Amino acid sequence: MRFSTSKLVDVIRLQRGHDLPERLRKKGSIPVVTSSGVTGSHSESRAKAPGVVTGRYGTLGEVFYLEEDYWPHNTVLYVVDFQGTHPKFAAYFLRSVIGNYKSDKAAVPGIDRNVLHAMNVRVPHRDVQPRIASILSTYDEAIENNRRRMALLEKAARLLYEEWFVRLHFPGHEHTPVKDGVPQGWENHRVGDVADCIGGGTPSSKVANYWENGEIPWVTPTDVTRNDHLVLMDTARKITDAGLENSSAKLVKAHAVLMTSRASVGFFAIAYREVCTNQGFISIVAHQPSLAHYLLFHLRHRTDEIRAMGSGSTFPEVSRGKFRDLTILLPPQRLFEAFDEQVAAFLKQIQVLKGQNQKLRAARDLLLPRLMSGEIEV
């Protein structure tokens, strides 16, 4: 396989994105791409498709490919000139280059465009670039198909909740008297009466043995806000037993509902293994495990109300005390257990699909450098 050697700027040219505060966004279908990927929409674009975008700081290495016009946010760099490079290949190539940038510049928390442009790179000949892109795209297409399936499963669970507990078309509703909008046998409870509400903590980042070789998932808001779906399977960082013992972090039981409670309030996930969280969470551990899925969808349905509970001059935060006092309407046990059984089956399938996607990403990322280096002929 033939290669050429040049500066990155001679292969693709990058530019910093454009500021767009939330208050200035207008209703529209144009995707707004931040360092986390597509995080909203706007009425106008600043870049034409195809698009290749990567974050300027934070978790480096994520590269997003777009097939429609978009607005690149000022938290990203985006390709403004492909200079003859195959666009989809450019996305994989940039991911590979940033991997080297990370290893060479480990102390740098973000990407300096000038440093990136000046990097010496080996580029496969243009004739083989579409073939390399096609091989790697096979993995991403499978990942995307799984994402769509997960979205449908999550939608099915949400619609079931709304049918039973919002529209009140639950099994047996035809024979259940309703007074003042409340079916007979349903009761109001405080969240704190039916679940433990647990805060989080952060081990000192200066103590190596709190983090090195850690195995306990440590959840930050980013793990939830960037999570594909409600099921949380892994975290970006993990802590050790020493880190857990020497911080205010607490081990939270499996099937806990995790709710972000400060800054970005009201994002939810459910963890099917023991985890601990940082201070940006309230973890809701139902006294009856079969109540967990009802609480997850009930609280998520009331996101706007929960966000309105936040207070604070620097950033909004919902206190555990205030959250414990939130009143929720509980159906009879037979109903939330029936709901739990059906939703657990949906979310179990999501777990399987997320596991498949982890393996697909790992295989793709293993293949990527071998294709880029010519170790594998195409």
Side-chain angles (χ1 to χ4, degrees):
M1 192 161 67
R2 289 182 295 158
F3 287 84
S4 60
T5 302
S6 63
K7 302 291 186 184
L8 180 75
V9 71
D10 297 322
V11 182
I12 52 173
R13 187 164 61 86
L14 297 157
Q15 179 176 307
R16 179 175 171 171
H18 311 276
D19 194 19
L20 184 62
E22 192 74 38
R23 59 185 173 80
L24 297 181
R25 298 187 187 186
K26 297 178 182 178
K27 187 175 181 180
S29 60
I30 302 297
V32 177
V33 189
T34 70
S35 58
S36 301
V38 176
T39 57
S41 59
H42 188 47
S43 60
E44 61 178 297
S45 64
R46 289 295 296 268
K48 295 291 185 182
V52 173
V53 181
T54 189
R56 293 195 297 114
Y57 52 81
T59 303
L60 306 185
E62 285 293 325
V63 177
F64 309 101
Y65 182 79
L66 294 102
E67 296 181 334
E68 57 186 319
D69 295 351
Y70 62 101
W71 184 293
H73 195 264
N74 68 340
T75 56
V76 306
L77 298 174
Y78 69 105
V79 176
V80 291
D81 190 349
F82 289 99
Q83 304 187 135
T85 304
H86 186 275
K88 185 162 281 191
F89 168 84
Y92 294 113
F93 182 70
L94 183 58
R95 182 191 298 270
S96 177
V97 170
I98 291 173
N100 293 330
Y101 183 102
K102 287 171 63 180
S103 63
D104 293 340
K105 305 285 184 181
V108 179
I111 292 178
D112 184 320
R113 180 182 53 168
N114 294 327
V115 173
L116 200 59
H117 274 165
M119 288 180 67
N120 291 315
V121 293
R122 291 178 74 239
V123 190
H125 193 271
R126 290 176 182 175
D127 290 347
V128 302
Q129 290 178 10
R131 297 203 293 273
I132 292 174
S134 177
I135 292 169
L136 295 168
S137 292
T138 301
Y139 291 88
D140 283 328
E141 287 165 6
I143 290 168
E144 185 58 33
N145 285 337
N146 281 347
R147 281 178 178 160
R148 293 193 188 101
R149 292 170 64 189
M150 288 188 281
L152 290 172
L153 288 163
E154 189 174 304
K155 182 179 180 180
R158 176 178 57 79
L159 291 176
L160 182 66
Y161 170 82
E162 292 174 358
E163 182 70 7
W164 284 19
F165 303 119
V166 178
R167 299 183 186 91
L168 301 181
H169 293 164
F170 52 87
H173 72 278
E174 305 93 334
H175 312 294
T176 304
V178 178
K179 183 177 180 181
D180 298 328
V182 179
Q184 187 179 67
W186 295 40
E187 298 178 345
N188 283 313
H189 292 271
R190 293 168 58 252
V191 170
D193 293 333
V194 298
D196 294 326
C197 299
I198 302 169
T202 303
S204 172
S205 59
K206 298 178 181 179
V207 183
N209 72 337
Y210 291 175
W211 301 95
E212 291 180 358
N213 302 314
E215 296 183 354
I216 302 170
W218 182 69
V219 189
T220 69
T222 299
D223 291 313
V224 172
T225 58
R226 293 186 183 178
N227 195 29
D228 288 341
H229 296 282
L230 289 173
V231 176
L232 181 73
M233 289 188 62
D234 203 4
T235 56
R237 300 188 71 182
K238 294 178 174 61
I239 64 172
T240 63
D241 289 332
L244 183 64
E245 293 167 4
N246 291 279
S247 73
S248 57
K250 298 177 179 64
L251 199 60
V252 178
K253 294 179 181 178
H255 296 89
V257 176
L258 311 179
M259 182 189 80
T260 57
S261 58
R262 61 164 63 176
S264 299
V265 174
F267 288 87
F268 291 88
I270 187 163
Y272 289 117
R273 58 182 294 189
E274 289 184 328
V275 301
C276 59
T277 74
N278 77 355
Q279 299 93 328
F281 283 90
I282 296 174
S283 298
I284 303 122
V285 182
H287 296 160
Q288 293 179 266
S290 57
L291 185 57
H293 290 123
Y294 176 82
L295 289 176
L296 171 66
F297 284 90
H298 178 83
L299 294 170
R300 194 171 181 236
H301 186 73
R302 297 171 66 181
T303 296
D304 290 343
E305 181 184 350
I306 291 169
R307 287 175 177 166
M309 293 166 58
S311 60
S313 56
T314 306
F315 48 77
E317 180 172 9
V318 176
S319 71
R320 277 188 289 160
K322 186 180 290 188
F323 183 73
R324 286 191 191 100
D325 287 336
L326 180 68
T327 300
I328 58 174
L329 184 62
L330 286 189
Q333 183 168 338
R334 62 174 178 80
L335 266 184
F336 67 69
E337 285 184 346
F339 177 74
D340 176 78
E341 184 176 353
Q342 292 197 41
V343 169
F346 293 142
L347 299 191
K348 178 64 177 177
Q349 291 181 65
I350 291 177
Q351 281 184 281
V352 171
L353 292 168
K354 285 178 79 80
Q356 289 178 5
N357 276 0
Q358 287 177 342
K359 292 177 181 177
L360 286 166
R361 289 190 189 96
R364 178 202 63 196
D365 294 344
L366 186 65
L367 192 58
L368 176 63
R370 300 176 69 186
L371 286 168
M372 293 299 172
S373 68
E375 182 182 343
I376 297 177
E377 284 284 344
V378 295

